[in-house]
Amino acid sequence: MEVLGNLGGGFAHALSLQNLLLALAGVTLGTLVGVLPGLGPATTVALLLPVTFVFDPVGALVLFAGIYYGGMYGGSTTAILLNVPGETASVPTTLEGHPMARRGRAGAALATAAVGSFVAGTISTVVITFLAPGMSAVAKQVQPAEYFAIIVLAFVTVAALIGDSVIRGLSSLFLGLTFGLVGIDALTGQARYTFGLPQLYDGIPLACRGPRRRSLRRRRGAVHHLYPEPVGAGRLPARQGRYDS
């Protein structure tokens, strides 16, 4: 009953006229910024943080929530229209949303994404209110052995989803692990693989990893274009000159 009372009090505060207007403003701002590829909800909240300084704590939290959910939904707009997910959670939207847009049903895809985001966000908020006490009790029991088991489960899941190319999947897995290990450890505070460079304390930025990955993909495509057939051991195929007939 205490949970129901707290949930009812929260809805009573959130459904006031001022907080509803703040939620509308937050969702609008979050959607406008979330549409930009590469700017996720966390970055959107960080960019719009100064806007909340003039409000009371409840109004600031409502505005924050609106900005966050608006940023989450904004990423689906570019995923549907341009096949470019605005953030990581919008990647599955490209699988169904963009084909619908190419068939002339972009409006239906955007409406489905908006309604789905609202319904799922509301249901998840209510459900987490009831499950949070139990989940916090379970989280206290998670020890290093359980963390190790979760990591092994993640590796097994990746291995199951690799597909046909095992080498490519494992290479991507260990390359991601290599990038993720750079920086300060969150538990011990020790610097890992920084080589004494303060610029690597926060890890390798995504802006540095993305262009290099695209350049490697283009180089691989260029090599495949020049040598479409498998190269035999010990020799390379003769490359046809520009002016050879």
Side-chain angles (χ1 to χ4, degrees), residues 211-234:
R212 284 163 176 76
R213 184 176 58 184
R214 287 193 292 269
S215 64
L216 290 175
R217 189 186 304 120
R218 290 189 177 184
R219 291 178 184 177
R220 185 178 61 189
V223 171
H224 180 72
H225 177 72
L226 291 175
Y227 308 111
E229 298 296 332
V231 179

Side-chain angles (χ1 to χ4, degrees), residues 65-245:
I67 291 173
Y68 180 81
Y69 285 112
M72 290 290 291
Y73 167 72
S76 63
T77 303
T78 54
I80 293 173
L81 299 180
L82 304 176
N83 200 24
V84 178
E87 39 90 22
T88 308
S90 302
V91 174
T93 310
T94 61
L95 302 178
E96 297 291 340
H98 187 64
M100 290 180 63
R102 296 185 63 180
R103 292 194 299 266
R105 301 185 59 194
L110 291 173
T112 303
V115 174
S117 298
F118 174 76
V119 174
T122 304
I123 294 176
S124 62
T125 302
V126 174
V127 170
I128 197 64
T129 304
F130 292 96
L131 295 183
M135 293 175 63
S136 61
V138 173
K140 295 178 181 178
Q141 305 299 323
V142 177
Q143 300 299 321
E146 286 77 12
Y147 278 114
F148 179 77
I150 293 173
I151 294 174
V152 172
L153 176 62
F155 288 167
V156 172
T157 304
V158 172
L161 298 177
I162 282 175
D164 298 331
S165 180
V166 178
I167 297 178
R168 183 183 303 174
L170 292 178
S171 300
S172 301
L173 172 63
F174 287 106
L175 184 62
L177 287 175
T178 303
F179 285 144
L181 289 175
V182 177
I184 296 179
D185 185 77
L187 298 178
T188 62
Q190 299 293 326
R192 301 176 303 187
Y193 304 108
T194 58
F195 304 101
L197 298 176
Q199 293 82 359
L200 295 179
Y201 286 167
D202 293 333
I204 300 177
L206 183 61
C208 297
R209 285 177 277 172
R212 284 163 176 76
R213 184 176 58 184
R214 287 193 292 269
S215 64
L216 290 175
R217 189 186 304 120
R218 290 189 177 184
R219 291 178 184 177
R220 185 178 61 189
V223 171
H224 180 72
H225 177 72
L226 291 175
Y227 308 111
E229 298 296 332
V231 179
R235 65 183 184 87
L236 292 175
R239 182 178 175 183
Q240 187 176 8
R242 180 180 298 180
Y243 301 102
D244 293 343
S245 57

Side-chain angles (χ1 to χ4, degrees), residues 50-67:
V51 181
T52 62
F53 288 167
V54 296
F55 300 108
D56 60 288
V58 176
L61 290 176
V62 170
L63 185 61
F64 268 142
I67 291 173

